Amino acid sequence: MALRYLRARRQEGFISVIALFSFLGIGLGVATLIIVMSVMNGFRADLLDRILGMNGHYEIKAAENGVLVDYDPLVARLSALKDIVRVTPLIQGQVMAAAGKNASGALVRGMAPDQLDKLELLSKNIVSGSLEGFSEDKAVIIGHRFARSLGVRAGDKIKLLSPKGSSTAFGTFPRVKTYTVAGLFNTGMYEYDSGYVFMSLSAAQKYFKHGEGVTSIEVFATDPDRALALRSDIINAVNVRAYIYDWQQSRASFFNALEVERNVMFLILTLIILVAAFNIISSLIMLVKDKGRDVAILRTMGATRGMIMRVFFIAGASVGVIGTLFGFLLGLGFCANIDQIKNLIEGLTGAELFSAEIYFLSNLPAKVDPAEVTTVVIMALVISLAATIYPSWRAARLDPVEALRYE
């Protein structure tokens, strides 16, 4: 009976049109929510992989004098922890790099050659030169954008100037050394490719005059989210005066901005489902008004108020349930073929929708989170079912005597 009420007849066509728009509204709302949340999850995962591919999940910095000495026991304790895959001592320092008439600021990162090989984001993205000469004290690896700004290529020489120079009777002179560019890397992250210089740990110790010490130790865990649960274990293992930062603290403003944007988009797109729910209410109210005589006859034949309420509840709920199922399938299908759809739209319009030069990602990422999809589906079902309660209650409260009198 509920499905018969939804089928369009000549005098009830407008009601069915409203129900159709309600179905499409809920379906498109659910699909849009799934697609947008999946794309944002994909962006976050890809950016997280690139950021944490170069930086550790934890960074341990010296609390005094800026240098950690006798760090081997500390490295051994951290390496022995569960779910820790790599511990990297390194030296970081700001310098001015110059080649010919070009100069630019840069961040020097000194690490052991074997640790650099394990840094896959860099070691697997060498676009010119090689890592073979990296172990030498006079060789460096720089980003391809940085090399372009300096006007150098692999095999050329650059000068590094440190503001922390040697004190003399005539003042402080900056420390200047010349290094050979052993290779260029392209990680796809502008920050790294345009301002990072890598050299061996021994070369960095000599250049910055830190002796046998290091400025920080980076800790890599099996998983970024798992790393956050290891904080107490890492604090106990450090057991020296030091500052400890996890990856969320190091990039707090960036990841907080992503989270805020994600939550706001979720709330805004939920309004699409709410609008569709109001369409369900309006179509059911019109249906109740149109079927007033039928309801009155059913009541006189012995139908209870509960039976009448169930008829209209099922009529409205079927629109919400089928629309949610349609949106669920549409959203998952779109996410599974998002790159092909992007290429199709770009081919039809001739416009570049997703520029790799701007977003630093070659593909449009989409990562479907089952928990989020379940939340979206349940929310859509609850909203659509709640929208049917009032019209169904109105139909059940209809007085058969009054309905037949005015009909």
Side-chain angles (χ1 to χ4, degrees):
M1 188 177 296
L3 295 179
R4 284 185 60 189
Y5 281 176
L6 287 176
R7 286 202 297 266
R9 291 189 295 180
R10 184 168 56 186
Q11 67 271 26
E12 300 164 4
F14 187 63
I15 299 174
S16 296
V17 169
I18 296 177
L20 176 62
F21 279 113
S22 303
F23 161 79
L24 292 176
I26 290 177
L28 293 177
V30 170
T32 304
L33 263 176
I34 292 175
I35 294 168
V36 170
M37 301 307 290
S38 298
V39 169
M40 296 192 72
N41 287 337
F43 267 114
R44 182 181 182 274
D46 273 25
L47 291 173
L48 193 61
D49 287 342
R50 293 177 185 271
I51 291 172
L52 298 183
M54 190 71 73
N55 301 281
H57 300 149
Y58 279 92
E59 184 178 16
I60 301 166
K61 291 186 175 181
E64 297 178 359
N65 302 323
V67 180
L68 286 168
V69 295
D70 192 23
Y71 56 86
D72 289 334
L74 174 57
V75 171
R77 291 195 300 270
L78 291 171
S79 301
L81 294 177
K82 183 182 178 181
D83 294 326
I84 298 300
V85 295
R86 191 165 78 253
V87 180
T88 305
L90 56 84
I91 287 179
Q92 292 191 136
Q94 295 286 343
V95 299
M96 176 70 72
K101 296 182 180 180
N102 301 317
S104 179
L107 176 69
V108 170
R109 287 170 64 92
M111 62 175 60
D114 61 330
Q115 294 292 337
L116 187 71
D117 288 335
K118 297 176 182 177
L119 208 62
E120 296 183 354
L121 182 64
L122 190 148
S123 61
K124 291 187 176 181
N125 290 287
I126 300 296
V127 294
S128 180
S130 67
L131 296 177
E132 294 179 359
F134 179 74
S135 58
E136 301 175 4
D137 285 351
K138 291 293 185 178
V140 294
I141 304 291
I142 65 176
H144 76 290
R145 292 179 181 273
F146 191 48
R148 189 185 307 165
S149 67
L150 294 178
V152 299
R153 296 179 295 179
D156 293 344
K157 296 185 181 296
I158 62 173
K159 291 182 179 180
L160 299 183
L161 297 82
S162 173
K164 297 181 180 179
S166 304
S167 298
T168 66
F170 300 98
T172 301
F173 285 87
R175 191 178 305 117
V176 182
K177 282 192 177 182
T178 302
Y179 294 89
T180 301
V181 178
L184 309 180
F185 59 84
N186 179 12
T187 64
M189 287 289 288
Y190 183 84
E191 178 184 355
Y192 303 146
D193 295 338
S194 62
Y196 272 43
V197 176
F198 288 84
M199 65 173 63
S200 66
L201 183 61
S202 59
Q205 288 173 333
K206 294 175 183 177
Y207 179 75
F208 290 105
K209 294 186 177 181
H210 288 324
E212 296 297 324
V214 297
T215 57
S216 62
I217 295 176
E218 288 186 339
V219 181
F220 293 82
T222 54
D223 180 77
D225 295 324
R226 174 60 185 154
L228 299 176
L230 301 174
R231 185 172 183 83
S232 59
D233 295 335
I234 290 177
I235 292 175
N236 294 332
V238 171
N239 199 25
V240 295
R241 287 179 57 82
Y243 299 111
I244 302 174
Y245 305 94
D246 59 46
W247 60 269
Q248 283 189 336
Q249 293 172 323
S250 301
R251 303 270 179 166
S253 58
F254 176 76
F255 288 110
N256 286 341
L258 282 181
E259 190 65 24
V260 169
E261 183 180 4
R262 181 172 168 275
N263 293 336
V264 170
M265 290 297 293
F266 184 88
L267 292 175
I268 292 175
L269 294 175
T270 302
L271 296 178
I272 299 177
I273 302 177
L274 287 176
V275 171
F278 281 115
N279 285 337
I280 293 178
I281 295 175
S282 61
S283 63
L284 280 181
I285 290 178
M286 294 178 64
L287 184 63
V288 170
K289 185 175 179 61
D290 187 74
K291 296 294 184 180
R293 182 174 56 185
D294 297 359
V295 171
I297 294 173
L298 288 173
R299 289 295 308 279
T300 58
M301 294 175 62
T304 63
R305 288 183 175 180
M307 294 172 62
I308 300 299
M309 187 172 182
R310 284 195 295 272
V311 168
F312 286 92
F313 183 84
I314 293 173
S318 60
V319 175
V321 172
I322 297 174
T324 301
L325 179 61
F326 168 73
F328 169 75
L329 297 176
L330 178 63
L332 293 184
F334 195 101
C335 290
N337 302 279
I338 192 167
D339 274 321
Q340 292 84 343
I341 295 173
K342 176 182 75 73
N343 295 334
L344 177 62
I345 295 175
E346 288 180 345
L348 294 175
T349 62
E352 190 175 10
L353 301 179
F354 188 74
S355 175
E357 287 76 15
I358 297 176
Y359 298 101
F360 304 112
L361 298 173
S362 57
N363 296 318
L364 185 61
K367 181 181 179 182
V368 178
D369 185 352
E372 284 186 351
V373 173
T374 302
T375 301
V376 171
V377 170
I378 292 176
M379 180 188 67
L381 289 175
V382 170
I383 292 176
S384 57
L385 293 178
T388 64
I389 294 176
Y390 174 72
S392 302
W393 177 81
R394 282 286 303 271
R397 297 287 297 176
L398 192 65
D399 186 356
V401 175
E402 294 293 325
L404 289 175
R405 176 186 300 171
Y406 290 109
E407 284 291 340

